[in-house]
Coordinates of all heavy atoms in Angstrom, one line a residue:
L1 N 97.7 89.8 145.7 CA 98.6 90.9 145.5 C 100.1 90.4 145.7 O 101.0 90.9 145.0 CB 98.3 92.0 146.4 CG 97.0 92.7 146.2 CD1 96.7 93.8 147.3 CD2 96.9 93.4 144.8
Q2 N 100.3 89.5 146.6 CA 101.6 88.9 146.9 C 102.1 88.2 145.6 O 103.3 88.3 145.3 CB 101.6 88.0 148.0 CG 102.9 87.6 148.6 CD 103.6 88.7 149.4 OE1 103.0 89.3 150.3 NE2 104.8 89.1 149.0
D3 N 101.3 87.5 145.0 CA 101.7 86.8 143.7 C 102.0 87.8 142.6 O 103.0 87.6 141.9 CB 100.5 85.8 143.3 CG 100.3 84.7 144.2 OD1 101.2 84.4 145.0 OD2 99.2 84.1 144.2
I4 N 101.2 88.8 142.5 CA 101.5 89.9 141.5 C 102.9 90.6 141.8 O 103.6 90.9 140.9 CB 100.4 90.9 141.4 CG1 99.1 90.2 140.9 CG2 100.7 92.0 140.4 CD1 97.9 91.0 140.9
L5 N 103.1 90.8 143.1 CA 104.3 91.5 143.5 C 105.6 90.7 143.1 O 106.6 91.2 142.8 CB 104.4 91.7 145.0 CG 105.6 92.4 145.6 CD1 105.6 93.8 145.1 CD2 105.5 92.4 147.1
D6 N 105.4 89.3 143.1 CA 106.6 88.5 142.6 C 107.0 88.9 141.2 O 108.2 88.9 140.9 CB 106.2 87.0 142.7 CG 106.0 86.5 144.1 OD1 106.6 87.1 145.0 OD2 105.4 85.5 144.3
G7 N 106.0 89.2 140.3 CA 106.3 89.6 139.0 C 107.1 90.9 138.9 O 108.0 91.1 138.1
F8 N 106.7 91.9 139.8 CA 107.4 93.1 139.9 C 108.8 92.9 140.3 O 109.8 93.5 139.8 CB 106.7 94.1 140.9 CG 107.4 95.3 141.2 CD1 107.4 96.4 140.3 CD2 108.2 95.4 142.3 CE1 108.1 97.6 140.6 CE2 108.9 96.6 142.6 CZ 108.8 97.7 141.7
I9 N 109.0 92.0 141.3 CA 110.4 91.8 141.9 C 111.2 91.1 140.8 O 112.4 91.5 140.7 CB 110.2 90.9 143.1 CG1 109.6 91.6 144.3 CG2 111.6 90.4 143.6 CD1 109.2 90.8 145.5
Q10 N 110.7 90.2 140.1 CA 111.5 89.5 139.0 C 112.0 90.5 138.0 O 113.1 90.4 137.5 CB 110.7 88.4 138.4 CG 110.4 87.2 139.2 CD 111.7 86.4 139.5 OE1 112.6 86.4 138.7 NE2 111.7 85.7 140.6
K11 N 111.1 91.5 137.6 CA 111.5 92.4 136.5 C 112.2 93.6 137.0 O 113.2 94.0 136.3 CB 110.2 92.8 135.8 CG 110.4 93.7 134.6 CD 109.1 93.9 133.8 CE 109.4 94.7 132.6 NZ 108.2 95.0 131.8
Y12 N 111.9 94.2 138.2 CA 112.5 95.5 138.5 C 113.4 95.4 139.8 O 113.9 96.5 140.2 CB 111.3 96.5 138.8 CG 110.6 96.9 137.5 CD1 109.4 96.3 137.2 CD2 111.1 97.8 136.7 CE1 108.7 96.6 136.0 CE2 110.5 98.2 135.5 CZ 109.3 97.6 135.2 OH 108.7 98.0 134.0
V13 N 113.5 94.3 140.4 CA 114.3 94.2 141.6 C 115.5 93.2 141.5 O 116.7 93.6 141.8 CB 113.5 93.9 142.8 CG1 114.3 93.8 144.1 CG2 112.4 94.9 143.0
L14 N 115.2 92.0 141.1 CA 116.3 91.0 141.1 C 117.3 91.2 140.0 O 116.9 91.6 138.9 CB 115.7 89.6 140.9 CG 114.8 89.1 142.1 CD1 114.3 87.7 141.8 CD2 115.5 89.2 143.4
C15 N 118.6 91.0 140.3 CA 119.6 91.0 139.2 C 119.4 89.9 138.2 O 119.2 88.7 138.6 CB 121.0 90.9 139.9 SG 122.3 90.7 138.7
S16 N 119.5 90.2 137.0 CA 119.2 89.2 135.9 C 120.4 88.2 135.8 O 120.2 87.1 135.3 CB 119.0 89.8 134.6 OG 120.2 90.7 134.2
N17 N 121.5 88.5 136.5 CA 122.7 87.6 136.4 C 122.8 86.7 137.6 O 122.8 85.5 137.5 CB 124.0 88.5 136.3 CG 125.2 87.6 136.2 OD1 125.2 86.7 135.4 ND2 126.2 87.9 137.0
C18 N 122.7 87.3 138.8 CA 122.9 86.5 140.0 C 121.6 86.3 140.9 O 121.6 85.6 141.9 CB 124.0 87.1 140.9 SG 123.6 88.7 141.6
K19 N 120.5 86.9 140.4 CA 119.2 86.8 141.1 C 119.3 87.4 142.5 O 118.5 87.0 143.4 CB 118.7 85.4 141.1 CG 118.4 84.8 139.8 CD 117.4 85.6 139.0 CE 117.2 85.0 137.6 NZ 116.3 85.9 136.8
N20 N 120.2 88.3 142.7 CA 120.3 89.0 144.0 C 119.5 90.3 144.0 O 119.5 91.0 143.0 CB 121.8 89.3 144.3 CG 122.0 89.7 145.7 OD1 121.5 90.6 146.2 ND2 123.0 88.9 146.3
P21 N 118.8 90.6 145.1 CA 118.0 91.8 145.1 C 118.7 93.1 145.4 O 118.1 94.2 145.5 CB 116.9 91.6 146.2 CG 117.6 90.6 147.1 CD 118.5 89.8 146.3
E22 N 120.1 93.0 145.6 CA 120.9 94.2 145.9 C 121.1 95.0 144.6 O 122.3 95.2 144.2 CB 122.1 93.8 146.6 CG 122.0 93.3 148.0 CD 123.3 93.2 148.8 OE1 124.2 93.9 148.4 OE2 123.4 92.5 149.7
T23 N 120.1 95.6 144.1 CA 120.2 96.3 142.8 C 119.8 97.8 143.0 O 118.9 98.0 143.8 CB 119.4 95.7 141.7 OG1 118.0 95.7 142.1 CG2 119.9 94.3 141.3
D24 N 120.4 98.7 142.3 CA 120.0 100.1 142.3 C 119.4 100.4 140.9 O 119.8 99.9 139.9 CB 121.2 101.0 142.5 CG 121.8 100.9 143.9 OD1 121.0 100.7 144.8 OD2 123.0 101.1 144.1

């Protein structure tokens, strides 16, 4: 599940420009 969560974070959490998770 932790590995699958990485995919969610890449798509719906991290900024596509700076890879920072401070996104709304």
Side-chain angles (χ1 to χ4, degrees):
L1 294 175
Q2 193 75 54
D3 293 338
I4 297 174
L5 182 64
D6 290 340
F8 173 82
I9 292 172
Q10 289 291 334
K11 185 171 183 180
Y12 290 98
V13 178
L14 297 181
C15 173
S16 58
N17 181 48
C18 65
K19 298 301 179 182
N20 193 305
E22 287 192 25
T23 58
D24 289 331

